Amino acid sequence: MKAKHSLTIRMGATAWDATLADGTRFDFRAMTTPDRKRWYGAFMSSVRKVYRRG
């Protein structure tokens, strides 16, 4: 059985965050620019791994 992935990313005037399926929340407004770059890099790495397996 394949794992089910879930991620919600909200970007707009009232919200700029991401919430994972397990409830972990990342608030991009509270992060520094280097923190956001690291988070996005790790996120894209994970996405690439999932789609390469597909």
Side-chain angles (χ1 to χ4, degrees):
M1 185 168 118
K2 277 191 165 187
K4 189 172 186 175
H5 301 280
S6 179
L7 171 68
T8 302
I9 297 178
R10 301 183 308 160
M11 293 182 176
T14 60
W16 190 23
D17 60 19
T19 305
L20 304 180
D22 67 1
T24 304
R25 185 171 174 271
F26 299 92
D27 184 358
F28 298 121
R29 289 178 198 227
M31 292 180 180
T32 64
T33 298
D35 288 341
R36 283 192 292 269
K37 287 181 179 182
R38 275 192 296 279
W39 189 93
Y40 188 71
F43 167 72
M44 288 308 296
S45 176
S46 296
V47 169
R48 283 187 215 93
K49 287 177 189 173
V50 168
Y51 282 97
R52 281 184 189 140
R53 280 189 256 149

